[in-house]
Every structure is written in C-alpha cells, then in structure tokens.
Amino acid sequence: ARFGAAFLNIHRADLLRILVSALEPGTLRLGQKLAGIEDRPGGVRIDFADGSTQQADIVVGGDGIHSRLRAILLGEAPPRFTGRLAIRAIFPTARLGDLAMADCTKWWGPDRHALTYFMTGRRDEVYVMASVPGEWQGDDLSRPLPRDAFVGYFDQAAPELRRIAEGAVDCAVWPICDRPRDDRWFRGNAVLIGDACHPMRPYMAAGGASAVEDAAVLARCLDAFDTPAGAFATYAATRIPRVAEVQRISVANTWMRGPTEALDWFFGHDACTAPLAALEPT
C-alpha cells in the first residue's frame, strides 16, 4: 500500500537482518544440529548433535524441506523430485550494458519459465532463475552449472531475456522438490512451520513468505491459548486451507501466466489480522 505495488521483492539477507533485530542479544545461536527431542511435563528437552541440550516450553521447526524435526515427528522420508531443475545466476547490473531491464518480469515458454529481477532497491544486482525439465541424481542440494550450459537453456528465449542471461558469470542448478500434502503439523510440544510442514514448488515465490505468515499466526495462537495443544490445533486449522491452495497452484504452475489470476487473496493477505479458525481450547 505504501508504494502502490502488488508485492515487494526483498533480498533475503536484508529480511533476515530485520527479523534478527527483534531478538534479544545472544538469542540466535548458529551451528546447532538437532539430534532429538523428548516431551516432558510442562515442556520439552532438545538434544543437539554436539551433546548439548536445551529446555524449552515448545519447539518450532522452521528447518525447511529437509527438516530434521519433521523426520523426528513423522518419520524419515526423502523429498520428491519433480522432474524440474532451477537454474540460477546473480551478477552485477553493469553487465547488462545499456539494456534497460524491467524491475521484475516473468517469462513463459512451452515447457519452462524464467524470472528476472533486481535483488535490491539499489538495482545493482540482477537475479535470473529458470525452471526447466531435467534429471537429478544424488543427494546434494545444488551444483555449479557451467555458464555456457546456463546460457544454452535460453537459446530459444526472447532476445531480451537471452541478453539478460548472457550477463551471468557464476551459475548454479538446484533440483526442484516437494512432498505430498501432509496435514500433520504438530505433535506434543513440537510444531512445524514453512517448508518443514508444507513444502511447495517455488512457482509462486511463496515458500519463505508462507513461513513468515505461519510464524505470525502461530504467535497469535500461542498468545490466545493456555496450552500448546490448543494453540497448535488452531494454528494448523487456520493455515492449512490457505497453504493447500498455494501448493495446488504451485504444482499447476499457472501463477501469473494469464490475466485471470486473482492477486488480492495472495498478496493482500494479512496474517496478523486474518481470523483464526474457530476451535475450542483444549
């Protein structure tokens, strides 16, 4: 509303700095690998791989599609490869020369699509991503991609898009994965948010945004209920219908492909004020 825009792009590092600024000093600790959890009266014990432990009232797992907490709660299961690859490159805008690139464009082809946009408000870095058909073997999460191979994916692209792609220097490729829908988002004193419980294909740029929405609703539920059980049940009942629709559209990969898409329900949603599901406290 402030900028008259349907949505905003923000560099993830900038977003993380904003979120961390709200924490008490010393709250954030990196390099802690979850090994296990144990529900106890009035809370939970968290065990880490380095042998350290932490006592807490609840555990919130926002650790992505490869979530260790999800595996502990629901059992080990590898993500599902979708048969698509994400090829990506970030490079200085100066490499575009005199080309005047639009702030954010989604390009469509018969079997692929691409996104081009500026990484920050300074418009000094360009981000190019394309979803293309491909194969993937192995467990690694990403690999370097030779520049020639990256540019080759744009051989049949519109001249402007190909010229943008030619600005790439260092390129990478990721497997695009998801999981079948599973509405088991919590157990005992542990609850999941984001891709840990509802991983989705990245075709609506909704993974990180949905996790932030989850966190806002979960915080409201924890404030409204006296027990984790009531808070978690209301949180899941509130969020599942919305994220299920995002997952459905992401699988179809139709988002913004034509003029019939309704944007307000997605970009105009306010997780801080949207009604919570009407469940009785437990």
Side-chain angles (χ1 to χ4, degrees):
R2 180 184 302 173
F3 298 103
F7 65 95
L8 298 177
N9 288 335
I10 183 171
H11 195 296
R12 186 162 297 207
D14 294 336
L15 175 60
L16 289 174
R17 277 192 289 271
I18 293 170
L19 297 176
V20 171
S21 71
L23 300 177
E24 293 290 339
T27 301
L28 179 64
R29 290 186 292 175
L30 303 177
Q32 297 285 103
K33 184 176 181 180
L34 181 65
I37 62 171
E38 180 183 341
D39 277 330
R40 294 185 169 187
V44 60
R45 190 186 79 180
I46 311 166
D47 297 318
F48 296 101
D50 62 3
S52 64
T53 64
Q54 180 74 38
Q55 303 295 323
D57 296 325
I58 63 170
V59 179
V60 180
D63 47 344
I65 191 171
H66 298 278
S67 169
R68 182 62 194 149
L69 183 59
R70 181 193 184 280
I72 292 171
L73 298 181
L74 306 182
E76 299 279 359
R80 174 176 62 184
F81 176 58
T82 65
R84 309 285 299 182
L85 303 174
I87 58 172
R88 303 178 182 179
I90 300 171
F91 54 88
T93 304
R95 291 188 57 82
L96 296 180
D98 59 358
L99 178 63
M101 193 184 89
D103 282 343
C104 184
T105 305
K106 194 169 187 178
W107 308 77
W108 291 91
D111 66 345
R112 63 197 61 198
H113 75 271
L115 285 169
T116 56
Y117 58 83
F118 294 106
M119 292 285 286
T120 69
R122 297 184 300 276
R123 293 176 172 80
D124 54 0
E125 282 188 315
V126 172
Y127 178 89
V128 182
M129 173 271 182
S131 168
V132 299
E135 301 294 330
W136 191 268
Q137 302 293 331
D139 297 330
D140 41 340
L141 305 183
S142 67
R143 297 169 187 161
L145 180 66
R147 178 186 179 277
D148 289 347
F150 177 84
V151 174
Y153 281 108
F154 298 89
D155 281 345
Q156 303 301 315
E160 180 183 349
L161 176 56
R162 179 173 174 85
R163 184 173 171 190
I164 294 172
E166 288 173 345
V169 181
D170 297 318
C171 311
V173 57
W174 276 259
I176 295 178
C177 299
D178 66 2
R179 293 184 185 274
R181 177 176 167 179
D182 190 331
D183 293 347
R184 297 174 296 169
W185 288 17
F186 63 92
R187 193 186 75 192
N189 293 314
V191 63
L192 303 171
I193 68 171
D195 279 356
C197 55
H198 52 74
M200 54 190 69
R201 303 180 193 187
Y203 302 145
M204 294 174 70
S210 293
V212 173
E213 288 184 0
D214 288 347
V217 172
L218 178 59
R220 293 172 60 199
C221 293
L222 290 168
D223 184 58
F225 289 84
D226 294 330
T227 65
F232 294 169
T234 303
Y235 153 71
T238 301
R239 292 293 297 157
I240 284 173
R242 177 170 170 81
V243 299
E245 183 67 0
V246 175
Q247 285 177 307
R248 183 190 67 80
I249 297 173
S250 294
V251 169
N253 193 17
T254 57
W255 185 243
M256 301 181 76
R257 187 162 193 160
T260 59
E261 301 282 7
L263 303 182
D264 286 349
W265 75 270
F266 183 56
F267 291 126
H269 182 75
D270 187 346
C272 294
T273 60
L276 300 179
L279 297 180
E280 293 296 324
T282 59

